[in-house]
Amino acid sequence: MKKKNLLCAILMAVPFTFLQAQFVDFEPWQTFDGNYGAGIQVEDYDGDGWEDILILNGSTSGFLSNTLYRNTGSGFEDVSTTILPAHSGRYNAGAFADFNGDGHKDLYLAAWNLNTLMNTENLLLAGDGDGGFTEVDAGPPSNEQHSTAGCSWADINGDGWVDIFLANLSTSFGSAPNALYTNQGNGTFQANPGNILVTDISLFTFSGNWADVDGDRDPDLYAANAFATDQLYYNDGAGNFTPNTDEVLFNQNMDITYRAAWADYDNDGDLDFFAPSDHQNHLYENDGQGHFSQKAGSWEEEDDDTAAAAWADFDNDGDLDLLLTSFYNNHNTLFRNDGGTLNREESAMIPILDGFSGIADFNNDGFQDVAVANGGFPDTEPHTAVFLNQGNNNHWVQFTLKGNAPNTMAIGAVVRVKATINGQETWQMRQVASSSHESGSSRLHFGLGDAADIDEIIIEWPDGVVEACEGFMVDEIHNIEQENNQMCRIVGLDDKNRLPGKLTLTPNPARESTLLQLETEEPLTRCTISLLHLTGQAAWSEKQLLTGATLNREINLQSLPAGLYYVQIEAEGRRIIRNLVITP
């Protein structure tokens, strides 16, 4: 890898202009010296409404602890020694979740034991409800002693309790088994050594990022690998995974892929992703079924060790822009999104600050700000800096969700917002995720352009409940508690009782028609097929007699307006649901 010298003196001497682009401007807010940032997490850990910053310590000395900065509204204060239990070592990953269902945010810290004489154990810290944390022993995930590169929370089996995936390598930068721990609901976790997520990786995984890629409303996993091809695993809803079989699709450079940055960048109702790498970056577009095609563009030319990719609507125009940050090459890049087309902003290069990025609205003015951290790499001076977006006249809205216990952080929830932007009805979607390699927090941000009103809001909660909401004002931060908000109503798409099987729609997106194909684990005699608007209202429905475990049915879509829909099949009190996009 290339190296560079980065001096704090240079950082202070150069005028603080983070981005000087036609559509967005940033100004410095605060700089922290001495942080050996091997990673950055953004989250409102104490629930006071201000987004905080956690810096993971990557110091080679191993004597520093991780650093937690509390956002006071007027700046950040270091609360590490008063909030975090005493600990030291090298850490590369951390992620927040309510693992014990008590309504408080907990924190998992993953140790980086590469080339160390004494291995540091991973830590699980339970939130105490007063903004503090206590170390707890929850079994295997709290005493791992590999070198853990990434950690990610998700409810993989639909029982309501969040589970955790660990991306591991050996202490000598070689292969080590990944780990998958399922939450037992009693404060402990169970290892799953036979799961394919643990056994299927030939070398080591740098991170695992969860997303519902195929629209069946359970979390799938993208494993970003080092010196091996990346892999996508589809979840059947019970925590059983099937690998993607397209051997030539995902990153083939055989170097290091750092993560999958999931986002619906083209606003077509499904999650696409960007894979940053130390060699060549890749953008993959979802067809709505969880099948992907690679998109060519100048982002592939960013071959100077891209540390992180962050999606954020920096100008609040309703399109997610893309920020790439680099490790060693003094070269960060911003791509402006115009209607699903990414254009490099040449004037938005970031010549000094590099490393990992954290994106959040730190001053609660409705515009996404940026924190950048570096310091755990050769020949670099440690630094962390926060820059505030100066904004414009565009509207916005933000949501903080509180799910039903035990998953009170609503990890896995999807929010869809419809607004008329520049005369066009536009649907946007965001997901709540918690991973050491996520750039954003659990608060969801939507840019609304010139839309002074929100037409519709749909919330798909992790436990299957779907609520439609109305009456929320723009230019505000809203807190929404599941099934406890007078502005929201349940629309009846609760798939807690899942019908075991596989449902596909081809094509999807579609215009004239789509072919429904159902394969169930057990034979059925009858079912009801429904095509539903996002609000839960039926657009079409029919009863179908069956003579086995398969069903093929073409659905005519010509009379239906363009938009986002659900296809639901119900049989014997159980349901299976798939998202459908009908194009103009």
Side-chain angles (χ1 to χ4, degrees), residues 296-319:
S298 58
W299 49 81
E300 295 178 320
E301 302 168 8
E302 302 296 316
D303 59 349
D304 40 17
D305 209 9
T306 304
W311 295 100
D313 187 357
F314 289 115
D315 56 350
N316 281 353
D317 67 346
D319 297 314

Side-chain angles (χ1 to χ4, degrees), residues 234-431:
Y234 303 100
N235 189 353
D236 68 353
N240 304 306
F241 295 87
T242 303
N244 181 284
T245 57
D246 190 340
E247 296 180 356
V248 298
L249 176 59
F250 297 129
N251 200 344
Q252 300 290 308
N253 62 44
M254 302 300 287
D255 290 325
I256 299 176
T257 305
Y258 291 109
R259 59 171 290 192
W262 292 102
D264 181 15
Y265 88 98
D266 50 6
N267 286 341
D268 66 351
D270 53 47
L271 290 169
D272 316 293
F273 73 95
F274 191 91
S277 169
D278 70 343
H279 179 71
Q280 185 179 39
N281 303 318
H282 295 285
L283 174 64
Y284 297 99
E285 190 171 299
N286 195 340
D287 68 353
Q289 297 279 98
H291 305 130
F292 293 84
S293 58
Q294 186 175 326
K295 305 292 291 186
S298 58
W299 49 81
E300 295 178 320
E301 302 168 8
E302 302 296 316
D303 59 349
D304 40 17
D305 209 9
T306 304
W311 295 100
D313 187 357
F314 289 115
D315 56 350
N316 281 353
D317 67 346
D319 297 314
L320 288 168
D321 310 301
L322 178 64
L323 174 66
L324 305 184
T325 55
S326 172
F327 277 143
Y328 297 100
N329 289 294
N330 250 356
H331 179 72
N332 299 327
T333 313
L334 182 66
F335 290 87
R336 179 181 183 179
N337 189 343
D338 289 308
T341 300
L342 298 177
N343 299 301
R344 183 200 300 265
E345 288 287 335
E346 295 294 344
S347 60
M349 300 295 184
I350 307 164
I352 297 176
L353 298 171
D354 60 355
F356 298 100
S357 61
I359 311 297
D361 179 9
F362 291 116
N363 60 350
N364 287 348
D365 68 348
F367 289 85
Q368 296 287 73
D369 310 307
V370 178
V372 184
N374 198 352
F377 314 104
D379 298 336
T380 61
E381 293 293 331
H383 63 261
T384 300
V386 181
F387 295 86
L388 296 182
N389 188 336
Q390 299 305 291
N392 53 37
N393 293 324
N394 286 339
H395 296 291
W396 53 273
V397 70
Q398 298 183 64
F399 300 104
T400 298
L401 305 183
K402 182 179 180 181
N404 287 339
N407 185 5
T408 63
M409 274 187 65
I411 293 172
V414 170
V415 176
R416 303 177 190 270
V417 171
K418 178 184 176 184
T420 302
I421 303 175
N422 295 328
Q424 299 291 323
E425 291 186 350
T426 303
W427 278 101
Q428 300 179 62
M429 72 174 296
R430 306 283 188 269
Q431 70 163 355

Side-chain angles (χ1 to χ4, degrees), residues 492-494 497-499 503 518 524-530 532 541-544 546 551 567-577:
L493 288 176
D494 184 345
N497 295 319
R498 184 186 293 260
L499 178 65
L503 173 62
L518 173 68
L524 302 174
T525 57
R526 65 185 63 194
C527 70
T528 299
I529 308 171
S530 301
L532 307 162
S541 181
E542 76 168 19
K543 297 186 182 297
Q544 183 83 40
L546 302 175
L551 170 64
V567 172
Q568 173 184 278
I569 296 180
E570 184 174 12
E572 299 177 356
R574 296 175 294 175
R575 297 187 180 102
I576 186 170
I577 297 171

Side-chain angles (χ1 to χ4, degrees), residues 166-212:
L166 303 184
N168 289 327
L169 64 149
S170 71
T171 58
S172 60
F173 208 70
S175 62
N178 295 323
L180 179 66
Y181 297 107
T182 48
N183 194 331
Q184 300 302 290
N186 58 4
T188 66
F189 293 78
Q190 178 177 310
N192 291 263
N195 193 287
I196 193 172
L197 301 186
V198 179
T199 63
D200 196 40
I201 305 302
S202 57
L203 285 175
F204 74 80
T205 302
F206 203 87
S207 70
N209 294 88
W210 299 99
D212 178 12

Side-chain angles (χ1 to χ4, degrees), residues 439-471:
S439 292
S441 74
S442 60
R443 183 198 292 178
L444 303 180
H445 170 273
F446 296 81
L448 299 175
D450 62 353
D453 298 291
I454 299 172
D455 299 330
E456 292 183 58
I457 301 171
I458 304 295
I459 304 175
E460 301 170 7
W461 295 96
D463 61 4
V465 173
V466 178
E467 291 189 272
C469 307
E470 58 185 9

